[in-house]
DNA sequence: AATACGTGGGC
DNA sequence: TGCCCAAGTAT
């Protein structure tokens, strides 16, 4: 509504030409920009959610080696898919992706749907991803509003709504609908994002290099560094964890599969439990706690390492010990979703980064 | 609407 | 060190 009054001032055809020609000249050479294969666009967009380009590149390349086609991903072993995502974070993304890819293989004959209604039904495909795939792979004039687009347009159009609020995205979608070049939807949407990544950055943007500086209301008023407005209030809580690398007489390592839902779903880890005891008490009660909570009674060895791992919403403060255990029955392993694996096999399982640190410490200790 | 959901990099 | 950020989605 009133938020978009600046739109009236914009010379829209000129704006389109300026930002699109800049993009065509300056865009980065990225592996998912080699063609418009909807499958590749899809995978890249999922990987790029809340994740930097530089981080994604090696993951994307390896993913395409392992799963070169939509059908190959649909057919792939779930453990291998999770391993391909190991270290990328937000692991539900890849579980949803494979689930959705299987849906496409089955219900759409392997063709990624090209309508907003159908593509939006796929797991893990929200408003942004739907618009990105439709505009980049299919040339549909749909907005693809991510954090970059909100930052760029908040400045150009002097929009002061809090971009942390869910409903704010709709304002920007409306702006894009009015601005988008119907004949160059892919370049236009990507140009908005590329500009946000390369020029119109958070903090102090590089306005002197900006191809659409002359269209920018925030620049005209000198308030670009104060936009976008974003009010976040999230505090993380500390979670004390006691963990152990437990071996048996055959030098095998005890690992456990995490639950299918929630934090780090379906990843593997070393046995551990939440422990609020003090550090000194902890070591003494460790054996009993393990028996009660993991149903394993290890002989406690020395302290291996202390690790602090920071998530976006909580902090694990882990104390890791060495331990040995014998006589664990098959029933116990199954009920606890645990298994013994040879040292050389550990690397074949997908672990969260926090537990990769444990394994690294264990190997260095030996 | 507010919160859960990962990780690594920049300053 | 600590806080913010990065091509969001599900509930």
């Amino acid at each position: 509504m009133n938020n978009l009054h600046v739109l009236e001032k914009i010379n829209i055809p000129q704006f389109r030409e300026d930002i699109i020609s800049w993009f065509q000249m300056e865009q980065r050479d990225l592996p998912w920009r080699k063609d418009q294969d909807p499958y590749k666009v899809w995978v890249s967009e999922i990987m790029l959610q809340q994740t930097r380009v530089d981080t994604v590149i090696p993951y994307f390349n390896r993913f395409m080696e392992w799963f070169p086609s939509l059908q190959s991903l649909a057919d792939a072993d779930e453990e291998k898919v999770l391993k391909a995502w190991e270290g990328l974070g937000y692991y539900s993304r890849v579980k949803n992706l494979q689930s959705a890819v299987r849906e496409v293989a089955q219900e759409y004959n392997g063709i990624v749907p090209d309508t907003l209604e159908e593509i939006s039904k796929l797991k893990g495909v929200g408003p942004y991803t739907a618009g990105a795939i439709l505009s980049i792979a299919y040339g549909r004039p749909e907005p693809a509003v991510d954090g970059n687009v909100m930052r760029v347009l908040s400045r150009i159009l002097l929009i002061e709504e809090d971009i942390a609020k869910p409903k704010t995205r709709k304002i920007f979608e409306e702006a894009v609908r009015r601005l988008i070049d119907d004949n160059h939807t892919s370049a236009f949407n990507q140009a908005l994002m590329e500009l946000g990544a390369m020029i119109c950055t958070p903090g102090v943007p590089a306005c002197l290099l900006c191809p659409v500086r002359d269209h920018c209301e925030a620049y005209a008023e000198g308030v670009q560094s104060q936009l976008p407005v974003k009010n976040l209030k999230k505090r993380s809580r500390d979670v004390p964890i006691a963990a152990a690398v437990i071996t048996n007489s055959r030098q095998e390592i005890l690992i456990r599969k995490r639950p299918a839902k929630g934090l780090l779903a379906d990843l593997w880890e070393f046995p551990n439990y939440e422990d609020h005891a003090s550090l000194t008490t902890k070591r003494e009660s460790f054996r009993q706690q393990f028996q009660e909570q993991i149903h394993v009674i290890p002989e406690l060895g020395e302290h291996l390492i202390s690790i602090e791992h920071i998530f976006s919403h909580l902090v694990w403060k882990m104390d890791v010990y060495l331990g040995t255990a014998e006589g664990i029955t098959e029933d116990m392993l199954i009920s606890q979703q645990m298994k013994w694996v040879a040292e050389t096999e550990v690397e074949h399982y997908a672990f969260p980064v926090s537990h990769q640190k444990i394994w690294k410490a264990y190997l260095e200790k030996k």
Side-chain angles (χ1 to χ4, degrees), chain A residues 129-140:
Chain A
T129 306
I133 296 172
L134 291 175
S135 62
I136 296 171
Y138 291 121
R140 307 267 185 243

Side-chain angles (χ1 to χ4, degrees), chain A residues 90-145:
Chain A
Y90 287 147
Y91 299 94
S92 66
R93 288 184 294 174
V94 76
K95 297 174 59 178
N96 287 152
L97 174 61
Q98 191 185 30
S99 170
V101 157
R102 286 174 169 170
E103 168 89 5
V104 170
Q106 195 121 39
E107 304 299 328
Y108 296 96
N109 196 28
I111 309 298
V112 180
D114 65 348
T115 67
L116 188 60
E117 186 185 353
E118 290 177 310
I119 206 169
S120 297
K121 289 178 185 166
L122 300 172
K123 282 186 186 171
V125 178
Y128 164 74
T129 306
I133 296 172
L134 291 175
S135 62
I136 296 171
Y138 291 121
R140 307 267 185 243
E142 293 291 338
V145 175

Side-chain angles (χ1 to χ4, degrees), chain A residues 2-21:
Chain A
N2 191 36
N3 307 302
L4 297 179
H5 67 278
V6 176
L7 258 179
E8 314 301 328
K9 298 189 191 177
I10 309 264
N11 180 337
I12 293 179
Q14 188 64 52
F15 175 78
R16 290 170 177 163
E17 184 184 329
D18 289 343
I19 195 168
I20 289 174
S21 30

